[in-house]
Amino acid sequence: MPTDQMLREQIAQRLSHELEALAEYAAKQLAPAAENPSAAAHPAPELLRQHLLALANAVLMKSPALFEAHVLQSSQQLGVETTDAQLAALRQALLLRLSVGEYVLAASTLSAGINVLQSPVASIAAPPAPEESPEAMHWATLAADYLKLLLAADRPAAQRLVLAEAEAGADVRALYLHVLQPAQHEVGELWHCGAITVAEEHYCTAATASLMAQLQPYFQRTPRNGRRLLAACVAGDLHTLGLQMVADFLEYEGWEVSYLGASTPLDSIRRMIADQGVDLVLTAASMPHHVPLLRELITALRRDPATRHVRVLVGGRPFISDAGLWEHTGADAWAASADEAVTVVRELFREEAARRPEKRQRSVAR
C-alpha cells in the first residue's frame, strides 16, 4: 500500500499526464461559452488545465492553501460563479478517471478551493492600515507617483523620480522597501485581477529591474563578513525582482553574492554551490508550480556531501499563501520581504558566528 507521500506523487503525475483528457471532459460539462460572456473571454480548456496544474502542485506539497490562493485569484478574473462551475466540472472528471484512493485525496484539496469561494472576501487578508507619519506619507506618495508613471509607460520619468531621492541621500534600502516593493506588489495584483495585460506587467517589471541596477552605486560599501551566498530562481521561473532585492540587502550586510537570476538549471546551481563554497542559498517561487522544483533542488543539495551543509532561505507568493509550506520544501527558513530576510539570515548564522572566535583561538594556540 503506498505511503501518503507516494500517493500524492502518484496523483500529481496522473493529473499532469492526463491533463488534456481531464480538461476536455470537464469542458464538456460546462454550459456553452456563448451563454457566459466571462467564460467566452477565457477559453475553458486552458483555464481548466491551469486549475488542474494548481491542484496537482497543492496535492504534491500537502498544501490546500496553495489551491485556495489559486482559486481566489481565478475568481477575481472570472467571477465566483464561473470559477465555481469549472471546479464542479473538474470534480466530475476526477471522479470518473481517478481511483477511489486518488479521488478522495485530490477531492479534499479541490473542496478546499470550492469552499473558499463561499466567502472570498473573508479569505483575503485585509492590508494593514498605512502609517500616517510624515515619512510614511512621503514614501506612500512616492510609490504611488512611481507606479502611476510606469502605468503611463513613462519609464524615464519614473526612474528619475526615484533616482532624485537617492541623489538627495535617501537610503537605497528604504527606496526598495517603501517604493519599489509596494509598487511591484500592486503591479502583480493588477495583473492577477486582469486590470493590466501581461505586456504592461512586463514593462513595469523591466523598468524596476533597470532602476535597481542604476541604484547600485548608491549602496554604501560595508565590510565583508567572510560568507558567500548564491541567489537563483529554479528552471522556468522568470520573476527575479524579489530575489534581487534580498541579495542586494545581504550584500549590504557584508555577504559576497553570486547572483544567477532567472530560470537556472538545478545541476548548475548545485555545482556552483560546491565549487564556490557557498554558505547560503536564496531561492524563490513566484508561482505554485515552482514550489516542487524548489523541493527538488533542496533535496539534491541535502544528498550531496559537498552541499548538504548549506543553509537555504526561500520566499515568494506561494509561501505567503501557506505559512507552513516552506517546511515541506526542506528549507531552513523563509522570509516575506528583503528586510525580514536579513533578520532571518542573521538568526540562522548567529550560533555559527559565535563559534568562530573559539575556532580561531584554538588555531592560534596550535
Side-chain angles (χ1 to χ4, degrees):
M1 186 172 182
T3 64
D4 178 74
Q5 186 56 39
M6 289 173 60
L7 181 59
R8 290 178 181 278
E9 292 173 359
Q10 179 178 307
I11 294 169
Q13 291 175 359
R14 184 87 177 267
L15 294 179
S16 297
H17 291 160
E18 299 192 25
L19 189 67
E20 296 298 329
L22 287 165
E24 287 179 12
Y25 179 86
K28 292 176 181 178
Q29 311 307 306
L30 297 171
E35 298 177 11
N36 189 330
S38 176
H42 303 273
E46 174 58 29
L47 294 168
L48 292 166
R49 285 191 289 270
Q50 292 176 16
H51 295 328
L52 285 166
L53 289 174
L55 179 63
N57 285 308
V59 169
L60 181 61
M61 297 307 300
K62 301 181 183 180
S63 177
L66 268 185
F67 191 64
E68 292 173 5
H70 164 80
V71 168
L72 287 175
Q73 289 173 8
S74 294
S75 68
Q76 290 175 354
Q77 292 180 300
L78 306 173
V80 171
E81 288 187 12
T82 297
T83 305
D84 186 60
Q86 291 173 350
L87 298 184
L90 284 177
R91 185 194 290 277
Q92 291 299 314
L94 296 177
L95 180 60
L96 288 177
R97 300 190 70 95
L98 299 185
S99 69
V100 173
E102 291 172 338
Y103 175 76
V104 169
L105 204 161
S108 67
T109 302
L110 185 68
S111 295
I114 293 173
N115 292 339
V116 82
L117 286 174
Q118 307 306 315
S119 55
V121 175
S123 301
I124 303 174
E131 297 180 41
E132 296 185 357
S133 68
E135 182 181 24
M137 293 299 290
H138 171 71
W139 293 131
T141 300
L142 187 63
D145 290 344
Y146 174 71
L147 178 58
K148 182 178 180 180
L149 288 167
L150 285 185
L151 294 176
D154 195 346
R155 176 179 56 83
Q159 294 180 340
R160 285 196 301 270
L161 184 71
V162 178
L163 289 170
E165 291 285 326
E167 286 282 0
D171 188 334
V172 179
R173 294 171 299 173
L175 293 172
Y176 273 32
L177 285 177
H178 303 306
V179 180
L180 305 189
Q181 188 169 275
Q184 280 302 130
H185 176 77
E186 183 62 21
V187 166
E189 291 300 315
L190 290 171
W191 175 75
H192 277 294
C193 72
I196 63 174
T197 65
V198 172
E200 289 171 313
E201 184 273 330
H202 283 189
Y203 177 89
C204 295
T205 300
T208 297
S210 170
L211 176 58
M212 288 168 61
Q214 295 177 63
L215 287 169
Q216 290 301 307
Y218 298 96
F219 269 104
Q220 296 180 9
R221 182 72 176 175
T222 53
R224 302 296 85 188
N225 64 13
R227 299 187 189 280
R228 176 174 289 276
L229 69 83
L230 179 145
C233 288
V234 293
D237 194 343
L238 305 177
H239 296 79
T240 62
L241 280 188
L243 189 72
Q244 177 73 70
M245 287 184 181
V246 175
D248 287 351
F249 269 53
L250 288 170
E251 186 170 19
Y252 179 88
E253 288 283 304
W255 287 76
E256 296 291 349
V257 174
S258 295
Y259 181 75
L260 308 187
S263 193
T264 311
L266 185 153
D267 283 344
S268 296
I269 296 174
R270 184 182 54 78
R271 284 198 298 269
M272 183 169 283
I273 291 170
D275 292 344
Q276 294 190 353
V278 169
D279 301 289
L280 172 68
V281 171
L282 304 178
T283 188
S286 60
M287 302 294 285
H289 61 269
H290 297 131
V291 177
L293 294 177
L294 293 194
R295 185 172 70 174
E296 184 180 347
L297 168 62
I298 295 168
T299 298
L301 295 179
R302 301 301 187 221
R303 287 176 178 166
D304 188 341
T307 59
R308 65 175 49 147
H309 69 282
V310 73
R311 300 295 185 92
V312 181
L313 178 70
V314 296
R317 192 184 186 99
F319 299 100
I320 297 174
S321 301
D322 183 350
L325 180 61
W326 67 272
E327 295 181 282
H328 295 309
T329 68
D332 293 287
W334 85 284
S337 63
D339 55 339
E340 183 179 317
V342 170
T343 301
V344 171
V345 169
R346 284 175 181 168
E347 182 61 26
L348 279 177
F349 287 87
R350 179 177 58 82
E351 293 183 4
E352 186 173 341
R355 289 196 296 268
R356 280 192 167 191
E358 180 183 346
K359 291 180 182 178
R360 285 197 296 269
Q361 287 173 4
R362 284 201 292 264
S363 179
V364 170
R366 284 197 295 269

